[in-house]
């Protein structure tokens, strides 16, 4: 059964673990930076709206939490002897949450930047901005759900290697 459990199988699991945290934090960082620039520019003209319009920055930070959760769960399933299947599934789970959070971070950053600037000019734009941000955030949540489902599929295959 050694062809099912090669020595390089844990490499893919660790790469999935790393991909989850790296790509999701890249998305969170971009979303925070881009929204923060818009928030700072808006705060010069309307300092009374800064606390209200900090929502995009908070939503971008949540994307990093998704990556941490999946990364910790994947690291719990790593073993010296594991199947190649479980390594590939762990890598797919990490890429799933990481890349979807990266896309969500880009969407939150662009929407947050434009949204807070528009809210400074017309305060009724706030509700529309929040709705668009929710739709962007849910992209990362979809990746989290897929990663959690994949992680449960990878956990039952280690008995082949014993």
């Amino acid at each position: 059964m050694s062809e099912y459990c090669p020595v390089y199988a844990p490499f893919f699991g660790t790469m999935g673990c790393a991909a989850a945290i790296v790509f999701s934090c890249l998305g969170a960082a971009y979303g925070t930076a881009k929204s923060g620039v818009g928030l700072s520019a808006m705060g010069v003209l309307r300092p009374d709206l800064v606390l209200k319009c900090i929502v995009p920055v908070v939503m971008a930070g949540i994307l990093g939490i998704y990556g941490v959760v999946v990364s910790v769960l994947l690291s719990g399933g790593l073993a010296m002897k594991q199947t190649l299947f479980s390594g590939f599934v762990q890598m797919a789970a990490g890429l799933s949450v990481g890349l979807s959070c990266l896309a969500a971070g880009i969407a939150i950053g662009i929407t947050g930047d434009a949204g807070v600037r528009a809210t400074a000019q017309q305060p009724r734009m706030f509700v529309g901005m929040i709705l668009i941000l929710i739709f962007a955030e849910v992209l990362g949540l979809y990746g989290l759900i897929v990663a959690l489902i994949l992680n449960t599929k990878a956990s039952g295959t280690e008995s082949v290697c014993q």
Side-chain angles (χ1 to χ4, degrees), residues 4-14 82-88 90:
Y4 294 121
C5 305
V7 294
Y8 56 85
F11 170 78
F12 295 105
T14 56
Q82 70 180 49
T83 63
L84 195 55
F85 172 78
S86 69
F88 283 156
Q90 288 169 338

Side-chain angles (χ1 to χ4, degrees), residues 30-134:
Y30 181 83
T32 301
K34 187 86 168 145
S35 297
V37 167
L39 185 67
S40 298
M42 186 267 316
V44 172
L45 301 174
R46 299 287 305 270
D48 55 314
L49 292 177
V50 169
L51 203 56
K52 180 179 179 181
C53 289
I54 204 163
V55 174
V57 175
V58 173
M59 292 181 82
I62 293 170
L63 298 174
I65 295 172
Y66 294 165
V68 169
V69 167
V70 171
S71 190
V72 167
L73 289 175
L74 290 177
S75 68
L78 292 175
M80 283 293 287
K81 289 186 178 181
Q82 70 180 49
T83 63
L84 195 55
F85 172 78
S86 69
F88 283 156
V89 170
Q90 288 169 338
M91 184 171 181
L95 287 172
S96 156
V97 71
L99 294 177
S100 64
C101 285
L102 178 62
I106 292 169
I108 288 172
I110 294 169
T111 302
D113 182 23
V116 297
R117 291 174 194 253
T119 302
Q121 293 177 358
Q122 176 56 261
R124 293 190 309 182
M125 290 294 295
F126 182 74
V127 174
M129 176 189 72
I130 295 297
L131 289 174
I132 296 168
L133 287 171
I134 289 170

